[in-house]
Amino acid sequence: ERTLVALGTTEASGSGFDDYGARLEVHALDLCDGRPDSKPAAVAKTSSRFVSLAWSALPGKASADALGLGLVAGGMSDGAVDVWDPAKLLAGHPQAHVSRVQRHAGPVNGLEFNPHPASAHLLASGGADCEVFIASLERPEAPTVFVPAPPPNAAKHVAEVTKVAWNSQVSHILATASQSGATIVWDLRQKKPWCELRDAASRSAVADVAWNPSEGLHLATASGDDANPVIRLWDLRSSTTMPLGTLRGHSQGLLSVSWCPDDPSLLASCGRDNRTLVWDLFSTEAVYELPAAASADPAPASPKFGQGGAFGGSPGFGGDAQAAFGGAAPTGFGTAAAGRRYQVAWAPSTPAVLATCSFDRSVQIHSLAGFSATSRRPPKWLRRPCGAAFGFGGRVACFGSSKASRGGVAVKRVVENGSLVQASQAFEAALGAGDYKAFCEARVSSSKGSEDARIWTFMQLIFEPNAREKLLECLGYEAKKEPAAAPPAPPP
């Protein structure tokens, strides 16, 4: 299966100040070939620039004939959401563009498809106009749009929406972050906010939001404030004003955060201090830092591509070995922004793979398979998913990822030959009772052949009171009769 990555790029060789065009690139990657760069396998030009990008494989809905690679959606700088069919893009079809949704009045900062198969056609978007919309792509050519809290519910953000994130466990729960410091958790089934997260001690803007991939009530928010650049960990069962924990390690405001889908104890973040950190949530410390992109040439394990103007902004890779990036990275004079990362994302289906977007309009793929971390706890992808060890008496000790054996070792008894077990139990019972003759008689009666019957008959004679005479008789011999006693000799 190919590893596909979608990039929202701008024309690097623009014709002037009035050139606002951009293009969508699809790259087919081979992470084992060792090449340091990649060329696009398909390109589609757009009239406006990308701010965010998302890819859904549409599990359970796509087929080989229709939407075989799902859908790619781009949040544009003019407030539109464009939708493409990547399979048609790769095939060179002239009508790969599927539809366009124009609801936002400003740039679409956040864009994400629902990760649950039954709801994979739902696309959430959040924009600079403080609005959040849900587009249903059940019919991609004719999308329908609704809001998470329709009237008479008047709940909405009061500042620019920065990111959106679907809950990892419940398909109708959506989180949206904003510049006001509030993160709203929406319940689409109840059509109203479920709660609002806001740190009572700070009103700093929330740059990104991410759900725990294995626990639907745990949430992480990234602060974009240079004065307080922290990652807040929330437990929705505990409090909505006081975070459960705080991660400190960045010296300037955060730009992106991504929760590892293969090991929920790992979190990746990047900030304006040009640091990309991997956090261990058990120790709440940064255990690894990706080398700065500008300090070294990309290694074969970290291919670099999209030099023609790649931007990043979606919260992560798409599904089934497909990835999506998009964004509107600021550029400046000179090389001050060269190599500085503003987005980080874990691969959805390939363990130990991390992608980053940089202000120099490039995307890098990093392998953390052999990274040296300060934590003594190995990442989950290095652990054996299951194991077994055999012992005496037909017993086996095993562990696995199933709910029955999670967190412990199960000791079971394996029976390969039931008749052998029964025969062994009967033999042990005979040894315990000391009735060897009855055991041999039972074996004679259950023998299937004359040879076995003769052997067990011979064994039975050993336990007879007159075993010697019986054995001789069985062998065909008769015991010699002793001569009669001689009369006593006459007296002299």
Side-chain angles (χ1 to χ4, degrees):
E1 186 176 354
R2 294 178 298 176
T3 299
L4 301 177
V5 181
L7 303 177
T9 65
T10 62
E11 299 291 348
S13 57
S15 58
F17 292 107
D18 295 331
D19 179 20
Y20 296 102
R23 63 179 185 173
L24 171 69
E25 294 181 359
V26 177
H27 290 251
L29 302 181
D30 185 356
L31 301 180
C32 299
D33 64 358
R35 292 185 300 174
D37 53 13
S38 172
K39 295 182 179 180
V43 176
K45 292 187 177 182
T46 63
S47 59
S48 58
R49 299 189 180 187
F50 286 88
V51 182
S52 55
L53 198 60
W55 191 331
S56 173
L58 297 180
K61 298 182 182 297
S63 63
D65 299 329
L67 304 177
L69 295 177
L71 292 172
V72 172
M76 317 307 288
S77 60
D78 60 357
V81 175
D82 286 312
V83 182
W84 290 269
D85 184 344
K88 290 184 177 180
L89 271 177
L90 293 172
H93 197 282
Q95 297 180 350
H97 186 269
V98 178
S99 60
R100 181 179 177 90
V101 180
Q102 185 77 55
R103 293 296 296 270
H104 289 282
V108 183
N109 297 325
L111 196 67
E112 185 173 302
F113 277 99
N114 196 308
H116 301 274
S119 304
H121 61 284
L122 297 179
L123 176 65
S125 63
D129 57 354
C130 312
E131 297 289 350
V132 177
F133 293 109
I134 312 296
S136 175
L137 301 177
E138 189 76 35
R139 295 177 56 201
E141 70 282 357
T144 58
V145 182
F146 59 94
V147 294
N153 196 320
K156 61 175 296 184
H157 284 285
V158 297
E160 179 177 343
V161 178
T162 55
K163 295 292 180 180
V164 298
W166 290 98
N167 188 279
S168 59
Q169 303 298 315
V170 184
S171 61
H172 60 271
I173 299 297
L174 175 71
T176 58
S178 69
Q179 290 282 2
S180 67
T183 300
I184 298 180
V185 178
W186 306 89
D187 187 340
L188 302 188
R189 183 171 296 175
Q190 299 294 329
K191 299 181 179 180
K192 64 179 182 180
W194 191 80
C195 70
E196 179 178 321
L197 303 177
R198 186 191 295 271
D199 191 345
S202 174
R203 289 186 175 272
S204 57
V206 180
D208 203 353
V209 59
W211 289 96
N212 186 326
S214 62
E215 175 55 62
L217 292 173
H218 290 171
L219 189 70
T221 58
S223 171
D225 186 6
D226 289 341
N228 190 26
V230 297
I231 300 174
R232 297 182 177 90
L233 305 176
W234 302 85
D235 187 341
L236 302 187
R237 296 165 296 189
S238 176
S239 173
T240 59
T241 58
M242 181 176 296
L244 184 67
T246 302
L247 306 180
R248 301 179 183 275
H250 288 278
S251 59
Q252 296 183 36
L254 280 94
L255 298 172
S256 176
V257 64
S258 179
W259 214 312
C260 180
D262 300 295
D263 189 346
S265 66
L266 295 179
L267 194 73
S269 66
C270 66
R272 281 191 285 269
D273 56 356
N274 198 25
R275 299 187 69 191
T276 304
L277 304 177
V278 177
W279 301 83
D280 183 357
L281 298 184
F282 282 104
S283 62
T284 65
E285 295 180 353
V287 296
Y288 182 71
E289 181 175 355
L290 284 179
S295 63
D297 292 331
S302 300
K304 188 175 184 179
F305 53 94
Q307 290 280 30
F311 293 104
S314 94
F317 282 68
D320 297 339
Q322 295 152 353
F325 293 95
T331 57
F333 295 100
T335 60
R340 292 182 178 270
R341 304 186 182 106
Y342 63 93
Q343 185 195 0
V344 61
W346 293 94
S349 56
T350 306
V353 173
L354 193 67
T356 59
C357 294
S358 304
F359 286 135
D360 61 356
R361 298 182 177 183
S362 66
V363 176
Q364 286 187 321
I365 308 296
H366 308 266
S367 174
L368 301 185
F371 76 104
S372 178
T374 59
S375 173
R376 296 183 178 181
R377 189 186 58 83
K380 195 173 182 179
W381 59 74
L382 293 181
R383 305 174 196 170
R384 287 189 291 177
C386 59
F390 287 90
F392 294 101
R395 288 178 172 81
V396 57
C398 58
F399 68 92
S401 58
S402 63
K403 294 183 178 180
S405 59
R406 182 174 296 175
V409 177
V411 179
K412 304 178 181 179
R413 187 168 186 176
V414 179
V415 178
E416 297 182 358
N417 191 335
S419 59
L420 179 61
V421 173
Q422 294 178 359
S424 176
Q425 293 174 348
F427 181 64
E428 290 181 357
L431 290 178
D435 192 359
Y436 309 118
K437 180 180 177 181
F439 177 77
C440 294
E441 289 177 352
R443 295 297 298 177
V444 171
S445 60
S446 62
S447 297
K448 297 182 179 180
S450 58
E451 185 67 21
D452 288 344
R454 284 196 298 267
I455 292 175
W456 284 106
T457 300
F458 186 82
M459 295 291 294
Q460 176 185 350
L461 297 178
I462 297 177
F463 305 105
E464 293 285 350
N466 52 347
R468 183 172 181 275
E469 289 78 4
K470 293 290 185 179
L471 288 173
L472 291 175
E473 182 179 349
C474 180
L475 294 175
Y477 297 98
E478 292 185 1
K480 293 183 179 180
K481 295 182 179 181
E482 301 216 1

